[in-house]
Amino acid sequence: MGVATAGTLSAGALRPAPAAGSPGGRRVAVFGGGVAGLTAAHELAERGFQVTVYERRALGGKARSIPVPGTGSGGRPDLPGEHGFRFFPGFYQHIPDTMRRIPFAGNPNGVWNNLIGVPEARFARRDGDDFRLPLGPKARTSFTPEAFRETVGATISTALKMPADEGAYFADRLLVFNSSCDARRYGQWEYTSWRDFVGGHERSHEFRALLSRTLTSIMVAAKEDVASVRTIGTMGEQFLGNPFEVGNDGALDRVLNGPTNSVWIDPWVQRLRELGVQFALGTEVRGLDMRDRRIASARVVDETGTTRGVDADHFVVALPAEQARALWSPDVLAVRPELAAMDRLFVDWMNGIQFYLRRPMDISRGHTAYIDAPWSLTSITQNQLWTRKLTEFGDGTVQDCLSVDISDWNTPGMLYGKPAKECTHEEIAREVWAQLTVHLNDRGELLRDSDLHSWFLDTGISWQESQRRNVNADPLLINTAGSWDCRPEPHGALENLFLAGDYVRTNVDLATMEGANESARDAVNAILEVSGSNAERCRKFTLYRVPELEPLRRIDAERYAAGQPNLFDVRL
């Protein structure tokens, strides 16, 4: 488990009760208290199941906020830290649906009302002009391939200050994906890297930096040469291929209006307790015992270090991929041999650091991407967005928090010539601060060392002195090309074992809170089927696809079956 790291830098709405006949006596053990585990518990408890959630560290998983120990004084709570800032794109549907069912005082739609849209994104360049991208739906026009090229191509060229021909080229590549049938998406684009698809190695430096690298490394902590076209293209289809934001739950880019625990996770846990969910904190699952091709019990170690068995009718493993696959014993794999492929899933790091500042920062009214930063940084200033201001935390002198995500832990930095994985926590803080300042201070001194009150690094990162490098308790699944084959369904031949997590096959197909929530709903629906329940199934949503392109997708299905390329797949 990581140790919290903080320091300073010197200058230099609710559902009805379960219907009669629902299986109220069924016992479910949920292992993992992150978004997937809490979602599974929520859906099951609403349907009358008896649920116990076993969590080793803290409820909320990667989504939780983390108090900075010892920083509160004068009756104020500790400063709020976090694994990394999070955002809720408008195309998320499952997470918002859950949020509406979590009561929050004064909110008609529960914690969902704590989501607020941000109006812009900033792209900061080192020794170059920065640009701001306004966010919001564009005026509705007729949707044709020609209109798509013109609208998206012009938007990209204008907003990102790129040559018109490269904006048009990228719009063409998006059109290829958006007009591709499912068979091609899974049979061709799943096995093609994003860089090869967009020809990133053949285009200009600006194109590579903004549209090949930024959309992968910065947006989803993937690598352009290994991330699949299907995964990145699906995100592009939502962010750029739906300029009118048709079918979205809300604004394209939304954030919470306060620390995650206070405005989401804590009210969620409270609601689950009201529904009868039990929590066993400090408890880690160590193994699954089989009998007659079923899970007979689970072995856990509780907070006292005592090993004991857990009996239940159904077992939901809602752990991250790297933890879940450690439970697949030969006995488990004998019944579900496809789970062995999970060993080929790849995880990498995307963790955050917060800089607490003595004055408010005017960097952007939304997220900022630091295009030329070696560590692929993104940030947001939080005080402008929170209803409870930062002066109400800590010692009362902090007026803003610059929350930064580090997406590349493997590339050498500017100050020490080492990747973040090999830097001490102090070196990480200094390195990130330096990368921020060269991007933001090239047109005037925006960040000043004297403004820095303190910093806090994600507790999942812990320095191992003997190895002279960090370890990470919370790595992130990276969807590499071809990884769909290694990702399991939520249920299989092992009747009472169910899987929930962002590595499970989902419609959103990305390591996100949305994927975790969606997979948990699939697991619960499978439990309802196995148990013979007549309870209402969990609601499921699908990602938006432009309906005007559906005739082209049908044509593409015929072309793919005939071994022909997509109609628009002609390189310029």
Side-chain angles (χ1 to χ4, degrees), residues 315-329:
F315 296 85
V316 178
V317 174
L319 300 169
E322 71 280 0
Q323 297 177 29
R325 62 192 177 194
L327 298 175
W328 310 150
S329 66

Side-chain angles (χ1 to χ4, degrees), residues 147-308:
F148 179 87
R149 286 193 186 100
E150 182 178 346
T151 301
V152 176
T155 298
I156 290 173
S157 298
T158 301
L160 305 187
K161 300 181 181 178
M162 293 180 60
D165 63 324
E166 295 215 315
Y169 169 79
F170 186 75
D172 271 319
R173 299 313 292 162
L174 283 179
L175 182 60
V176 169
F177 183 83
N178 289 7
S179 63
S180 290
C181 64
D182 281 336
R184 188 183 301 280
R185 294 185 185 207
Y186 284 91
Q188 180 179 1
W189 302 139
E190 168 64 22
Y191 302 97
T192 305
S193 77
W194 178 251
R195 185 180 67 176
D196 289 344
F197 178 72
V198 299
H201 54 292
E202 303 167 355
R203 313 303 296 188
S204 69
H205 170 75
E206 289 296 294
F207 185 97
R208 292 195 305 271
L210 295 171
L211 297 177
S212 184
R213 179 172 178 262
T214 299
L215 285 181
T216 54
S217 180
I218 291 179
M219 291 296 294
V220 294
K223 293 178 173 59
E224 60 180 314
D225 57 339
V226 297
S228 76
V229 173
R230 193 177 68 82
T231 294
I232 305 303
T234 298
M235 293 301 99
E237 192 171 32
Q238 303 307 308
F239 281 112
L240 301 173
N242 183 15
F244 317 122
E245 299 183 17
V246 178
N248 276 12
D249 177 80
L252 180 64
D253 185 356
R254 296 177 295 183
V255 296
L256 289 167
N257 64 0
T260 309
N261 276 22
S262 60
V263 301
W264 178 25
I265 301 299
D266 289 346
W268 196 4
V269 173
Q270 176 60 32
R271 177 56 183 155
L272 296 185
R273 293 188 190 277
E274 293 169 356
L275 289 169
V277 175
Q278 301 292 313
F279 294 94
L281 295 178
T283 303
E284 179 181 4
V285 59
R286 294 287 180 85
L288 303 173
D289 296 325
M290 299 279 294
R291 185 186 308 120
D292 298 328
R293 298 172 64 85
R294 289 174 53 86
I295 304 298
S297 65
R299 283 172 283 111
V300 301
V301 176
D302 63 23
E303 57 188 351
T304 69
T306 302
T307 300
R308 61 184 179 88

Side-chain angles (χ1 to χ4, degrees), residues 47 75 180 186 224 265 324 372 380 394 444 448 499 553:
R47 290 159 176 80
S180 290
Y186 284 91
E224 60 180 314
I265 301 299
D372 305 304
I380 194 164
R448 303 182 306 209
L499 309 182
R553 296 187 193 104

